[in-house]
Amino acid sequence: MTTVSSTSDVSHRLTANQRKAIVAGAVGNTVEWVDWAVYATFAPVFAGQFFAGGNDTAALLSTLAVFAVGFVMRPIGGAVLGAYADRRGRKKGLTLTISLMAGASIVIALCPTYTQIGVLAPLVLLLARLVQGFSAGGEFGSSSAFLIESAAAGRRAFAGSWQQVSVGLGSLLAALMGTILNSTLSDADLHGWGWRLAFGVAGLLGLVGLWLRQSVHETEAFTKVAAQPRRRNPVVAMVRDHPGAALRVAGVTIAGTLIYYVWVTYMPTYAHLSTGIPLKTALLANTLAMVVFIVLLPFGGLLSDRLGRKPTMTAFAAGFVVFAWPAFHFLSNGFWSVFVIELIGLVLIVGYSANCAVIMAEQFPAEVRTTGIGLPYALAVAIFGGTAPYVTTWLNANHLGNLVWVYVAAAAVVGVAVYLTMPETKGKEL
């Protein structure tokens, strides 16, 4: 009787610890991604502040090019900060990433305009975005490893889904700031100082995330590895010992990151430019669809824990092979058109977003897990995610907007091929 009671109590305590870890990890990660997402949300607003005037489309493309260049730093951050977290701990890695991200947001908020300091303005913007890209490259691997290592064996996808819940909440809060500021400020105030307020709030929220991350305990998986003799550099160990797993992480990411960035980050701007719908209306549609998406993510994780990683991931990619053409063909300047298209896409994306963290974590042992997740993921995101807004804007500006659906569908076809051929990792021991 005593033994049964003791086992039950231990199970209950572990569940409570897991919940605490999920909450702390998710809230901190939300703050991190508010800082990242607010750039794309307000790009059409502040583009003219950092580049020479005269051509709004050229200024927006230049601003989005800086957005894409920020992704170049993500693989570097994935390697450097991933190795740091694998050597020094998930907690220290997460504390460093949020400090870098929030600090860069404050710099953007305070940076003078092109009119005031000339070419220095886009240079400061570029440097701040490079720091944010470096931080984001380390954030995904560290937060994913932390959440998965804190989870019960049969609930790893559920725990990992909260990594993407927090990413979605970050994007949602950025979109909410966009909706509120677009609705309450005049165009002059929005372009003059309103966008600075958004970056300032995002940066200050970093203090909340920093406090939360300081309060959590290190994971047991890392503690065990840290007690062992020091091994070679985690990047070298990943490349030499786990090349197939690293390639698989990159392959898993291609379709998910490209489609996610088109739908979540850029679809409101694309709808505004291609149909003429007011930006605040498109942002509202995006915001409401994001709420549904975020609510569904943990249920997507539970479904993956029950059915497996392969079927839920394949359903996402196959759905976009079918949905890409009607989504862009029937997009119009009405609120309901944008909302329904955003919603259907985001429901499909649940199949990817609820799974990506757990699938990547299940590929590697603890001593290289953060690096193994962060570096190949960041490389794929830099190539396919960071360029997505620029490519879609360029296509639209050159009267080729009717081909965006081909871009999305092609990525989905790649996803179907990868997901059908990857090994099932549900139930695999970490």
Side-chain angles (χ1 to χ4, degrees):
M1 179 68 69
T2 303
T3 303
V4 173
S5 177
S6 175
T7 303
S8 176
D9 289 344
V10 169
S11 175
H12 177 74
R13 287 198 297 270
L14 289 173
T15 301
N17 289 337
Q18 177 192 350
R19 289 173 179 169
K20 179 181 178 180
I22 289 174
V23 171
V27 173
N29 204 42
T30 296
V31 171
E32 175 93 2
W33 291 101
V34 169
D35 289 74
W36 178 258
V38 76
Y39 185 103
T41 300
F42 286 89
V45 176
F46 70 81
Q49 302 288 322
F50 287 94
F51 297 92
N55 188 323
D56 291 342
T57 301
L60 177 59
L61 284 171
S62 298
T63 306
L64 291 175
V66 173
F67 177 84
V69 169
F71 280 81
V72 174
M73 290 298 292
R74 291 184 69 159
I76 300 174
V80 175
L81 296 176
Y84 177 79
D86 279 332
R87 286 186 175 275
R88 302 295 300 277
R90 317 317 187 204
K91 178 178 176 178
K92 289 184 177 180
L94 290 170
T95 300
L96 180 57
T97 58
I98 199 168
S99 300
L100 292 171
M101 183 70 79
S105 286
I106 296 296
V107 169
I108 295 174
L110 299 176
C111 181
T113 65
Y114 185 92
T115 303
Q116 294 169 320
I117 61 172
V119 72
L120 287 177
L123 285 177
V124 170
L125 178 68
L126 175 62
L127 288 173
R129 195 59 181 175
L130 289 175
V131 170
Q132 289 189 322
F134 181 77
S135 169
E139 171 67 22
F140 182 82
S142 297
S143 60
S144 296
F146 174 78
L147 287 169
I148 302 305
E149 289 175 357
S150 300
R155 286 290 181 267
R156 291 200 298 254
F158 173 75
S161 71
W162 287 90
Q163 200 281 336
Q164 290 294 295
V165 168
S166 55
V167 173
L169 282 172
S171 299
L172 174 61
L173 290 175
L176 273 173
M177 282 195 284
T179 301
I180 292 170
L181 293 177
N182 269 279
S183 301
T184 59
L185 299 180
S186 66
D187 283 345
D189 287 341
L190 184 65
H191 287 77
W193 57 268
W195 65 270
R196 294 184 185 276
L197 179 62
F199 278 98
V201 170
L204 292 175
L205 283 174
L207 297 176
V208 178
L210 184 61
W211 172 73
L212 282 169
R213 290 184 168 185
Q214 290 282 7
S215 69
V216 299
H217 297 291
E218 187 54 77
T219 67
E220 183 180 349
F222 174 78
T223 302
K224 289 180 178 179
V225 170
Q228 299 172 2
R230 183 176 292 273
R231 297 184 59 190
R232 60 183 182 275
N233 184 281
V235 177
V236 175
M238 180 202 71
V239 173
R240 290 186 178 178
D241 300 341
H242 310 281
L247 288 173
R248 192 173 300 119
V249 167
V252 164
T253 305
I254 291 173
T257 189
L258 190 154
I259 296 171
Y260 182 91
Y261 273 98
V262 168
W263 243 256
V264 175
T265 303
Y266 193 66
M267 183 63 85
T269 300
Y270 178 84
H272 169 62
L273 293 175
S274 62
T275 72
I277 187 174
L279 181 60
K280 63 182 179 182
T281 304
L283 286 170
L284 177 61
N286 175 263
T287 299
L288 294 176
M290 280 295 297
V291 171
V292 179
F293 170 72
I294 292 167
V295 170
L296 290 178
L297 276 170
F299 295 98
L302 290 172
L303 190 65
S304 175
D305 282 326
R306 178 176 291 272
L307 299 181
R309 320 311 186 208
K310 292 182 66 169
T312 45
M313 291 285 277
T314 304
F316 145 72
F320 269 103
V321 173
V322 176
F323 183 58
W325 181 83
F328 288 93
H329 182 76
F330 293 110
L331 187 66
S332 69
N333 63 356
F335 167 82
W336 288 108
S337 169
V338 178
F339 173 71
V340 170
I341 287 171
E342 285 266 29
L343 182 61
I344 294 173
L346 285 168
V347 170
L348 290 173
I349 292 171
V350 167
Y352 167 78
S353 293
N355 272 307
C356 59
V358 69
I359 287 176
M360 296 173 194
E362 288 170 342
Q363 306 299 318
F364 302 98
E367 59 265 24
V368 297
R369 182 166 292 131
T370 304
T371 307
I373 298 170
L375 178 54
Y377 171 81
L379 282 168
V381 169
I383 297 170
F384 298 98
T387 57
Y390 188 90
V391 170
T392 51
T393 302
W394 183 89
L395 288 170
N396 196 60
N398 288 274
H399 309 291
L400 298 171
N402 59 321
L403 296 180
V404 175
W405 77 269
V406 177
Y407 181 53
V408 172
V413 169
V414 172
V416 170
V418 172
Y419 305 148
L420 285 177
T421 56
M422 71 182 185
E424 178 60 68
T425 53
K426 183 178 83 75
K428 175 183 176 182
E429 285 191 28
L430 286 182

